[in-house]
Amino acid sequence: MLAKYNPQEIEKKWQRRWAEDRLYEVTEDDTRPKLYALTMFAYTSGDLHIGHWYALAPSDVHARFKRMQGYNVLHPMGFDAFGLPAENAAIKRGIHPFTWTMQNIDNMRRQLRSMGTIYDWSREVVTCLPEYYKWTQWFFLKLYEAGLAYRAKAPVNWCPRCQTVLANEQVVGGGVCERCGTAVIRRDLAQWFFRITKYADELMQHDGIDWPERIKIMQRNWVGKSVGAEISFALDCPGIDEKEIRVFTTRPDTAFGVTFMVLAPEHPLVAKLTSPEKKAEVEAYITRSRRQSEIERLSTEKEKDGVFIGAYVVNRLTGDKVPVWIADYVLMSYGTGAVMAVPAHDERDYAFAKKYNLPIKLVIAPPGWQGGKLAEAYTEPGTMVNSGQFDGLPSQQGIEAICDFLEGKGWGKRAITYRLRDWLISRQRYWGAPIPMIYCEKCGIVPVPEEDLPVLLPENADFKPTGESPLKYCEEFVNTTCPRCSAPAKRETDTMDTFMCSSWYFLRYASPHCDTAPFDAEKVKYWLPVDLYTGGAEHAVMHLFYARFFIKALRDMGLVSFSEPFSRLFNQGVIIVEKQKMSKSRGNVITPDEYVSELGADAVRAYLMFVAPWEQGGEWDDSGISGISRWLNRVWNLVLEEYKPRTPDHALEKLKGEQADIEQVERELSRITHQTIRKVTGDLEKLRFNTMIAALMEFTNYLAKVKEAGSVTPSVWNESIDILLLLLAPTAPHLAEELWERTGHNYSIHNQSWPQWDEELAKDEEVTLVVQVNGKLRDKIIVPAGITEAEAKKLALESQRVKAYLKDKVTLKEIYVPGKLVNLVVR
RNA sequence: GCCGAAGUGGCGGAAGAGGUAGACGCGGCAGUCUCAAAAACUGUUGGAGAGCAAUCUCCGUGUCGGUUCGAGUCCGACCUUCGGCACCA
């Protein structure tokens, strides 16, 4: 009696064995090509749900495949363990974030092991442990030394719910917190920033890396480079030192059309310039705009409003005196915080001018313009008019001509502005790596000396969020001495953005236990950059962006010798449940554990790959996974149930007539086997897991037919089964290992070489030739693969079915596609 | 509004480089097994129509046009869905 497929039993058995044998531990090896295949590490939020598995399982399959192909594969896993969600969850449960996080890690590790991955657990990293964050702090110091970290007072995004500041990248949907969806407000605070804008241009380039176009576009848009000019407007106000206001514009060609100027309400000159009689009105407007949330203020729906501040500037090109207004559609954080308004050629300025009855002066003529008024702003290129000596120039040339002119006069210069802001990394929360800085009354800001790292996060701080950093009230943490003058001093009490931890973790995997440096340079040189990085697309302008910045900064410090951390990037889609995204709040979270204990990890792995193309994501469906489970059971039975050839081997040889038949069947089996190897290999390279599984199923179905017929010799049969198991090994590692053992092979299937296909054996001997008449399918004929054009046409014309369509018709054209079809065009 | 991706049976999805639309799986239907059911296995399954029948005909990849001997695939316009950005001067 054949044993039943029992995934629970065999999966536990092999997981134990693989761990005992350290089967998946890797070291540097120059005799094989290396492959660093990385999946974004998991955030320690509690349980892994099926969405995590969707990110992890297919990449494990790919890594296993590469390993069998002979690559030295590094496929590590770790935990992104600092940060707000863990802290909030811990507060809610009344336990310490460290306890909460480490419990989660234990559970997640157990779940990850149950998946049957090839993670080398000896390389695990956990970002909230001092041996890790020591080096996060070390990188902060390096960035500070390099002038890439600075402290500044600035208007920053504050989330009232999370009680902390956020980076620009963490503010989404026009002004809500990326984590909790609360509308952010502006606060002026002194904070630590990383000078990511220094790398703005380089971050827009993705040369030599294979990334999805979508992500590259998002990153380019995020940097938002605008080329134009900075133009100075003369300011002549008694009692004010400033003699100009500078504006940034991408359209210097419209400079003769300026009819007013708009400043951001926060512009430093507003207070000085406002005339006494306008003061009350202006202050009321500023108060009002400050009270508004970022969403309201930036809403494109909202009608633009503003107030005249009672001051004028002079457009030096025309000599015109133009009024100065303030309006909250002008942002202090972009350009110079001041805009020259050209209502004729800018939609916003046009709306503003209409509302307040300001003049509209046309300076760019649309093609065919007859001198009439515009019904709306004309923002396209055109011909310059009303622009003095520049009249008649096409606007593209006009931009250059005006820039040259302004530069000659010293009234302005060519300029580039970016939408990208510097990365704000301070957080007023407990659960993060402390920023290693000290404030001394005498010496000012002093970095913590390297040898004093790590600055330990005190365990006993009261970590409830108050809007101020909890560390501020932890006396033994705050009070220290100045490393320079030894006088009493105070520590920085803000912690670092978690994205700082994840900006370098992929370097740590190369030498996770290195305690003299964040990484062993030689090992990083061997493993990095990451060859294939997979994860969700939601990190396009956060993690993926920051990590690129980090590597470029490290490169410029001479710490690494490459410029891009991730050579190839792949974003998997999202698993949905009942047409909705999985989330705890919706209560539709699918946990893998129950499916693993019922159907096995192999079934869950295979189902996730089969459900849809990986980049697309798909719907979790219970009846779908039972189909996969049935298939794995069929494989089990197919392999283990005795194969009964129709006649014994030696008898076959005697039966001449039969033998021809058997040879033919065996040739077909061999052809299909080699075609399957080719298909499965190609699909795995391209990460097309769904069609790979379909090919394995087809192969299984075909083998079942062969088995039923008993039409091949046992040795040929066994070879085919071996290949099936090898092809199945990455997808269903436990089942394949068990069947490998039960069919009498040596442990382990995962150390076997990936099967190679033979192009000759995979070649079809016969092909189906499609015969069309006027493009419509009329017959299909089986022909030898190497058929000539003349023969193919001859056979097509001989077809009885085709003949019926050719009766009384004239053949105009005969089209032949080798090995595919004949199309007869008749009239 | 702008940028990007995608619309194929009852469902998830397949279709190198313009050449058999619907692989593979789910579900359905029929059968085998069973006292019965479940499970499993076998067969069948895009729609409409004709025929006792094996078969045959027509229609069919979001909509409307176009290119081509031939279009799910290429081009143009539009509709819908999903992501991202959104007063960036």
Side-chain angles (χ1 to χ4, degrees), chain A residues 38-40 55 59 532-536 569-572 614 687:
Chain A
L38 184 63
T39 301
M40 290 177 188
S59 51
L532 174 63
Y533 196 37
T534 61
L569 175 71
F570 189 95
N571 298 118
Q572 82 276 354
W614 198 27
L687 308 173

Side-chain angles (χ1 to χ4, degrees), chain A residues 302-345:
Chain A
K302 194 189 112 183
E303 198 179 317
K304 288 163 199 22
D305 59 9
V307 291
F308 174 51
I309 65 168
Y312 294 85
V313 289
V314 173
N315 182 352
R316 302 196 219 242
L317 286 163
T318 57
D320 292 346
K321 203 171 147 188
V322 299
V324 179
W325 289 62
I326 58 169
D328 59 14
Y329 77 86
V330 175
L331 308 172
M332 193 58 223
S333 54
Y334 184 77
T336 61
V339 170
M340 64 175 213
V342 186
H345 306 293

Side-chain angles (χ1 to χ4, degrees), chain A residues 270 274 278-287 307-310 326:
Chain A
V270 171
T274 303
K278 290 282 176 189
K279 204 165 177 207
E281 203 186 331
V282 167
E283 276 172 5
Y285 183 83
I286 292 171
T287 314
V307 291
F308 174 51
I309 65 168
I326 58 169

Side-chain angles (χ1 to χ4, degrees), chain A residues 34 64 85 89 213 254 297 313 326 420 461 481 526 583 591 650 679 728 757:
Chain A
K34 72 95 183 177
R64 284 177 171 277
E213 206 50 41
T254 65
R297 184 170 161 180
V313 289
I326 58 169
L420 179 68
T481 52
Y526 177 83
S583 75
T591 312
H650 65 274
K679 170 76 178 155
L728 191 65
W757 75 91

Side-chain angles (χ1 to χ4, degrees), chain A residues 100 357 465 467 573 614 635 721 743 785:
Chain A
W100 165 248
N357 247 327
W614 198 27
V635 170
I721 289 295
T743 49

Side-chain angles (χ1 to χ4, degrees), chain A residues 613-627:
Chain A
W614 198 27
E615 68 271 29
Q616 188 185 302
E619 174 119 15
W620 179 264
D621 174 14
D622 279 2
S623 55
I625 191 171
S626 63

Side-chain angles (χ1 to χ4, degrees), chain A residues 370-397:
Chain A
Q370 297 294 321
K373 276 200 170 175
L374 296 171
E376 55 182 5
Y378 177 72
T379 57
E380 302 296 306
T383 307
M384 292 179 72
V385 292
N386 296 324
S387 299
Q389 73 265 41
F390 301 100
D391 280 0
L393 275 183
S395 40
Q396 286 307 315
Q397 285 177 36

Side-chain angles (χ1 to χ4, degrees), chain A residues 122-125 130-132 134-135 504 507-524:
Chain A
S122 71
R123 290 175 183 264
E124 176 195 272
V125 303
E131 60 257 37
Y132 184 87
K134 170 181 179 175
W135 301 111
W504 72 278
L507 300 172
R508 187 70 181 166
Y509 284 133
S511 51
H513 308 295
C514 180
D515 56 5
T516 52
F519 55 81
D520 177 328
E522 281 304 308
K523 291 186 171 168
V524 160

